[in-house]
Amino acid sequence: METILITGAGSGLGKELALQYANKGYHILLVGRTLEKLTDTEKEIITNGGKATSFAMDIGDIDQVEKWTATILKKHKITHLINNAGVGYFGPLTSLTNRQVDEMIHTNITGTINVTKTLLPHLLAHPNTKIMNIISTAGQKGKVNESVYVACKYAIRGFTESLIKELEASSTSVTAVYMGGMDTPFWNNAPGHIKDKSRLRTPKDIASTIISEFNGQAELFV
Ligand SMILES: NC(=O)c1ccc[n+]([C@@H]2O[C@H](COP(=O)([O-])OP(=O)(O)OC[C@H]3O[C@@H](n4cnc5c(N)ncnc54)[C@H](OP(=O)(O)O)[C@@H]3O)[C@@H](O)[C@H]2O)c1
């Protein structure tokens, strides 16, 4: 059974990707900070006849990532990594607290790099492995009141494009996925930034399009 590790799998897009990939027969390793959210997803997958295992960690903390990865790799062969976890705080730059700025950089940039760097030797050691980085249209152009979030997504776009070149001769593919707004708990941190999040696309719809169109290409626009 092929195994996919998904970060931020306790809600939103990560949860939908987990549920839908599990329905396709993949074993899902669910990663996030809140164990309860992960085990809720895990229970839903198991109820649907699928297989999933939860690992609570803060991906921005390299010690936690390295410790958990060592434990995970004793039991599992991972074929796909989906770097999906992300946080956003919005408003004029001066309105953001230093803590909010740190959290965005810690999760969106450092976390994505930590997980990728730690799992890469394992992925490179196996044939046809895949890395998918969930970016955003925020990684394509600047937006008012989104300066630090956009900076993080540009960073991950640069990280992804560079890894694609670095791993060109390997059997590990790297894909940047770009999408617009989704109706997820992501916006709970941003009261007022989006007028009516229920008008955005559902994570279910985005996950299903990603899964049907993903084939290890360099870029996927959803
Ligand atoms: N919603 C949108 O409109 C939209 C549009 C384009 C792109 N995106 C991107 O899509 C991805 C998924 O977002 P979403 O909309 O599904 O939001 P979401 O429901 O808030 O999901 C993000 C997940 O990341 C986890 N997470 C946050 N910080 C973490 C950390 N340090 N370590 C481990 N897990 C962490 C959260 O769980 P815990 O808090 O329990 O850790 C949460 O389950 C993000 O990269 C986001 O930037 C979102």
Side-chain angles (χ1 to χ4, degrees):
M1 182 182 262
E2 292 200 59
T3 300
I4 308 184
L5 186 143
I6 304 177
T7 68
S11 64
L13 179 63
K15 178 174 182 170
E16 277 303 330
L17 286 166
L19 293 169
Q20 294 185 32
Y21 268 124
N23 282 342
K24 290 193 165 293
Y26 291 88
H27 180 182
I28 313 295
L29 306 183
L30 308 157
V31 168
R33 290 171 300 185
T34 316
L35 185 60
E36 200 185 350
K37 283 165 43 180
L38 301 174
T39 53
D40 283 350
T41 307
E42 181 181 326
K43 280 181 204 147
E44 214 172 314
I45 288 173
I46 290 166
T47 305
N48 293 339
K51 211 164 168 218
T53 318
S54 301
F55 299 93
M57 71 184 90
D58 178 344
I59 59 166
D61 179 337
I62 189 66
D63 293 337
Q64 288 186 42
V65 173
E66 288 181 345
K67 184 190 107 188
W68 277 115
T69 302
T71 306
I72 290 169
L73 293 182
K74 278 187 193 143
K75 283 198 174 170
H76 303 282
K77 184 187 128 193
I78 298 170
T79 50
H80 294 36
L81 162 64
I82 302 182
N83 285 308
N84 162 79
V87 294
Y89 295 99
F90 303 101
L93 179 60
T94 50
S95 74
L96 297 177
T97 65
N98 294 338
R99 204 186 172 119
Q100 289 170 335
V101 171
D102 282 348
E103 189 184 338
M104 284 189 273
I105 293 170
H106 174 87
T107 297
N108 303 350
I109 306 180
T110 309
T112 301
I113 294 171
N114 283 347
V115 177
T116 307
K117 179 173 178 286
T118 307
L119 275 181
L120 192 55
H122 173 82
L123 295 171
L124 289 172
H126 295 97
N128 298 321
T129 52
K130 295 182 170 59
I131 299 171
M132 182 198 292
N133 291 340
I134 300 300
I135 305 185
S136 164
T137 51
Q140 294 177 290
K141 70 175 190 242
K143 302 185 189 206
V144 175
N145 291 337
E146 300 199 10
S147 57
V148 178
Y149 179 69
V150 165
C152 292
K153 293 298 184 176
Y154 266 71
I156 293 309
R157 175 182 175 179
F159 176 64
T160 308
E161 288 180 4
S162 301
L163 267 189
I164 289 169
K165 292 181 193 292
E166 189 172 317
L167 303 182
E168 211 164 36
S170 78
S171 67
T172 301
S173 68
V174 188
T175 302
V177 185
Y178 299 95
M179 73 285 288
M182 295 178 279
D183 181 4
T184 72
F186 178 85
W187 296 109
N188 296 350
N189 287 336
H193 187 60
I194 290 276
K195 281 197 185 72
D196 179 6
K197 76 174 183 131
S198 71
R199 296 173 70 163
L200 300 175
R201 288 169 72 193
T202 64
K204 191 173 185 167
D205 172 39
I206 300 276
S208 130
T209 308
I210 290 175
I211 292 171
S212 65
E213 294 185 7
F214 174 58
N215 60 15
Q217 64 271 61
E219 291 175 324
L220 175 55
F221 299 91
V222 186

mmCIF file of all heavy atoms in Angstrom, residues 109-131:
data_model
loop_
_atom_site.group_PDB
_atom_site.id
_atom_site.type_symbol
_atom_site.label_atom_id
_atom_site.label_comp_id
_atom_site.label_asym_id
_atom_site.label_seq_id
_atom_site.Cartn_x
_atom_site.Cartn_y
_atom_site.Cartn_z
ATOM 1 N N ILE A 109 7.138 28.699 6.034
ATOM 2 C CA ILE A 109 8.461 28.549 5.385
ATOM 3 C C ILE A 109 9.289 27.488 6.113
ATOM 4 O O ILE A 109 9.601 26.433 5.550
ATOM 5 C CB ILE A 109 9.247 29.890 5.349
ATOM 6 C CG1 ILE A 109 8.421 30.990 4.694
ATOM 7 C CG2 ILE A 109 10.575 29.681 4.611
ATOM 8 C CD1 ILE A 109 9.116 32.345 4.612
ATOM 9 N N THR A 110 9.608 27.766 7.387
ATOM 10 C CA THR A 110 10.503 26.841 8.101
ATOM 11 C C THR A 110 9.895 25.441 8.167
ATOM 12 O O THR A 110 10.588 24.440 7.957
ATOM 13 C CB THR A 110 10.783 27.370 9.529
ATOM 14 O OG1 THR A 110 11.198 28.724 9.429
ATOM 15 C CG2 THR A 110 11.859 26.564 10.226
ATOM 16 N N GLY A 111 8.584 25.371 8.437
ATOM 17 C CA GLY A 111 7.932 24.055 8.563
ATOM 18 C C GLY A 111 8.015 23.254 7.284
ATOM 19 O O GLY A 111 8.354 22.065 7.291
ATOM 20 N N THR A 112 7.707 23.908 6.159
ATOM 21 C CA THR A 112 7.746 23.210 4.868
ATOM 22 C C THR A 112 9.170 22.730 4.569
ATOM 23 O O THR A 112 9.379 21.594 4.116
ATOM 24 C CB THR A 112 7.242 24.160 3.754
ATOM 25 O OG1 THR A 112 5.902 24.547 4.083
ATOM 26 C CG2 THR A 112 7.259 23.496 2.395
ATOM 27 N N ILE A 113 10.146 23.586 4.843
ATOM 28 C CA ILE A 113 11.543 23.194 4.590
ATOM 29 C C ILE A 113 11.954 22.063 5.538
ATOM 30 O O ILE A 113 12.580 21.083 5.109
ATOM 31 C CB ILE A 113 12.485 24.416 4.734
ATOM 32 C CG1 ILE A 113 12.169 25.438 3.626
ATOM 33 C CG2 ILE A 113 13.952 23.986 4.692
ATOM 34 C CD1 ILE A 113 12.869 26.781 3.785
ATOM 35 N N ASN A 114 11.579 22.162 6.818
ATOM 36 C CA ASN A 114 11.951 21.120 7.795
ATOM 37 C C ASN A 114 11.468 19.743 7.363
ATOM 38 O O ASN A 114 12.219 18.765 7.382
ATOM 39 C CB ASN A 114 11.314 21.416 9.162
ATOM 40 C CG ASN A 114 12.011 22.514 9.939
ATOM 41 O OD1 ASN A 114 13.115 22.917 9.593
ATOM 42 N ND2 ASN A 114 11.369 22.998 10.996
ATOM 43 N N VAL A 115 10.187 19.668 7.004
ATOM 44 C CA VAL A 115 9.603 18.356 6.672
ATOM 45 C C VAL A 115 10.236 17.816 5.383
ATOM 46 O O VAL A 115 10.612 16.643 5.291
ATOM 47 C CB VAL A 115 8.064 18.447 6.539
ATOM 48 C CG1 VAL A 115 7.473 17.121 6.119
ATOM 49 C CG2 VAL A 115 7.445 18.909 7.854
ATOM 50 N N THR A 116 10.393 18.688 4.402
ATOM 51 C CA THR A 116 10.962 18.250 3.116
ATOM 52 C C THR A 116 12.400 17.772 3.300
ATOM 53 O O THR A 116 12.785 16.700 2.818
ATOM 54 C CB THR A 116 10.928 19.423 2.103
ATOM 55 O OG1 THR A 116 9.598 19.933 2.047
ATOM 56 C CG2 THR A 116 11.359 18.963 0.721
ATOM 57 N N LYS A 117 13.186 18.571 3.996
ATOM 58 C CA LYS A 117 14.611 18.243 4.192
ATOM 59 C C LYS A 117 14.772 16.927 4.954
ATOM 60 O O LYS A 117 15.613 16.092 4.632
ATOM 61 C CB LYS A 117 15.285 19.389 4.959
ATOM 62 C CG LYS A 117 16.758 19.196 5.252
ATOM 63 C CD LYS A 117 17.320 20.475 5.867
ATOM 64 C CE LYS A 117 18.783 20.319 6.225
ATOM 65 N NZ LYS A 117 18.994 19.499 7.418
ATOM 66 N N THR A 118 13.922 16.726 5.962
ATOM 67 C CA THR A 118 14.043 15.526 6.799
ATOM 68 C C THR A 118 13.606 14.276 6.044
ATOM 69 O O THR A 118 14.211 13.214 6.200
ATOM 70 C CB THR A 118 13.200 15.708 8.094
ATOM 71 O OG1 THR A 118 13.602 16.935 8.692
ATOM 72 C CG2 THR A 118 13.431 14.585 9.069
ATOM 73 N N LEU A 119 12.571 14.405 5.203
ATOM 74 C CA LEU A 119 12.072 13.219 4.480
ATOM 75 C C LEU A 119 12.787 12.949 3.166
ATOM 76 O O LEU A 119 12.680 11.848 2.611
ATOM 77 C CB LEU A 119 10.574 13.376 4.190
ATOM 78 C CG LEU A 119 9.622 12.943 5.293
ATOM 79 C CD1 LEU A 119 8.189 13.145 4.834
ATOM 80 C CD2 LEU A 119 9.831 11.460 5.650
ATOM 81 N N LEU A 120 13.521 13.929 2.670
ATOM 82 C CA LEU A 120 14.071 13.800 1.317
ATOM 83 C C LEU A 120 14.996 12.594 1.124
ATOM 84 O O LEU A 120 14.852 11.881 0.120
ATOM 85 C CB LEU A 120 14.760 15.112 0.895
ATOM 86 C CG LEU A 120 15.108 15.205 -0.586
ATOM 87 C CD1 LEU A 120 13.894 14.982 -1.491
ATOM 88 C CD2 LEU A 120 15.739 16.567 -0.901
ATOM 89 N N PRO A 121 15.908 12.303 2.042
ATOM 90 C CA PRO A 121 16.771 11.126 1.816
ATOM 91 C C PRO A 121 15.948 9.847 1.637
ATOM 92 O O PRO A 121 16.266 9.002 0.794
ATOM 93 C CB PRO A 121 17.625 11.060 3.093
ATOM 94 C CG PRO A 121 17.612 12.458 3.627
ATOM 95 C CD PRO A 121 16.262 13.029 3.279
ATOM 96 N N HIS A 122 14.859 9.735 2.397
ATOM 97 C CA HIS A 122 13.968 8.571 2.291
ATOM 98 C C HIS A 122 13.268 8.559 0.923
ATOM 99 O O HIS A 122 13.218 7.528 0.248
ATOM 100 C CB HIS A 122 12.946 8.638 3.422
ATOM 101 C CG HIS A 122 11.878 7.604 3.348
ATOM 102 N ND1 HIS A 122 12.056 6.310 3.807
ATOM 103 C CD2 HIS A 122 10.619 7.659 2.853
ATOM 104 C CE1 HIS A 122 10.945 5.629 3.595
ATOM 105 N NE2 HIS A 122 10.060 6.416 3.019
ATOM 106 N N LEU A 123 12.756 9.703 0.505
ATOM 107 C CA LEU A 123 12.045 9.775 -0.783
ATOM 108 C C LEU A 123 12.998 9.465 -1.933
ATOM 109 O O LEU A 123 12.645 8.745 -2.875
ATOM 110 C CB LEU A 123 11.420 11.163 -0.969
ATOM 111 C CG LEU A 123 10.309 11.522 0.024
ATOM 112 C CD1 LEU A 123 9.913 12.995 -0.109
ATOM 113 C CD2 LEU A 123 9.077 10.643 -0.183
ATOM 114 N N LEU A 124 14.216 9.993 -1.845
ATOM 115 C CA LEU A 124 15.189 9.771 -2.932
ATOM 116 C C LEU A 124 15.621 8.314 -3.024
ATOM 117 O O LEU A 124 16.060 7.849 -4.075
ATOM 118 C CB LEU A 124 16.423 10.664 -2.728
ATOM 119 C CG LEU A 124 16.201 12.161 -2.973
ATOM 120 C CD1 LEU A 124 17.420 12.966 -2.544
ATOM 121 C CD2 LEU A 124 15.888 12.424 -4.451
ATOM 122 N N ALA A 125 15.471 7.600 -1.921
ATOM 123 C CA ALA A 125 15.903 6.191 -1.902
ATOM 124 C C ALA A 125 14.868 5.251 -2.504
ATOM 125 O O ALA A 125 15.115 4.049 -2.624
ATOM 126 C CB ALA A 125 16.214 5.777 -0.462
ATOM 127 N N HIS A 126 13.705 5.791 -2.859
ATOM 128 C CA HIS A 126 12.654 4.939 -3.418
ATOM 129 C C HIS A 126 12.215 5.462 -4.791
ATOM 130 O O HIS A 126 12.232 6.664 -5.027
ATOM 131 C CB HIS A 126 11.444 4.886 -2.465
ATOM 132 C CG HIS A 126 11.779 4.225 -1.175
ATOM 133 N ND1 HIS A 126 12.112 4.932 -0.038
ATOM 134 C CD2 HIS A 126 11.898 2.920 -0.851
ATOM 135 C CE1 HIS A 126 12.397 4.089 0.932
ATOM 136 N NE2 HIS A 126 12.278 2.850 0.468
ATOM 137 N N PRO A 127 11.792 4.566 -5.679
ATOM 138 C CA PRO A 127 11.404 5.018 -7.019
ATOM 139 C C PRO A 127 10.062 5.742 -7.030
ATOM 140 O O PRO A 127 9.191 5.455 -6.202
ATOM 141 C CB PRO A 127 11.314 3.706 -7.819
ATOM 142 C CG PRO A 127 11.091 2.649 -6.799
ATOM 143 C CD PRO A 127 11.696 3.104 -5.514
ATOM 144 N N ASN A 128 9.909 6.671 -7.972
ATOM 145 C CA ASN A 128 8.627 7.351 -8.218
ATOM 146 C C ASN A 128 7.992 7.987 -6.985
ATOM 147 O O ASN A 128 6.815 7.767 -6.707
ATOM 148 C CB ASN A 128 7.619 6.375 -8.841
ATOM 149 C CG ASN A 128 8.126 5.878 -10.164
ATOM 150 O OD1 ASN A 128 8.720 6.640 -10.927
ATOM 151 N ND2 ASN A 128 7.939 4.590 -10.428
ATOM 152 N N THR A 129 8.773 8.726 -6.252
ATOM 153 C CA THR A 129 8.213 9.419 -5.092
ATOM 154 C C THR A 129 7.868 10.859 -5.495
ATOM 155 O O THR A 129 8.402 11.392 -6.467
ATOM 156 C CB THR A 129 9.192 9.388 -3.904
ATOM 157 O OG1 THR A 129 10.461 9.861 -4.350
ATOM 158 C CG2 THR A 129 9.333 7.987 -3.357
ATOM 159 N N LYS A 130 6.949 11.447 -4.726
ATOM 160 C CA LYS A 130 6.420 12.755 -5.132
ATOM 161 C C LYS A 130 6.311 13.709 -3.947
ATOM 162 O O LYS A 130 5.901 13.293 -2.859
ATOM 163 C CB LYS A 130 5.021 12.586 -5.752
ATOM 164 C CG LYS A 130 5.021 11.802 -7.060
ATOM 165 C CD LYS A 130 3.615 11.722 -7.634
ATOM 166 C CE LYS A 130 3.603 11.175 -9.048
ATOM 167 N NZ LYS A 130 4.161 9.829 -9.198
ATOM 168 N N ILE A 131 6.649 14.963 -4.212
ATOM 169 C CA ILE A 131 6.448 16.027 -3.219
ATOM 170 C C ILE A 131 5.478 17.036 -3.837
ATOM 171 O O ILE A 131 5.684 17.468 -4.976
ATOM 172 C CB ILE A 131 7.774 16.747 -2.886
ATOM 173 C CG1 ILE A 131 8.797 15.760 -2.296
ATOM 174 C CG2 ILE A 131 7.530 17.914 -1.928
ATOM 175 C CD1 ILE A 131 10.205 16.340 -2.140
#
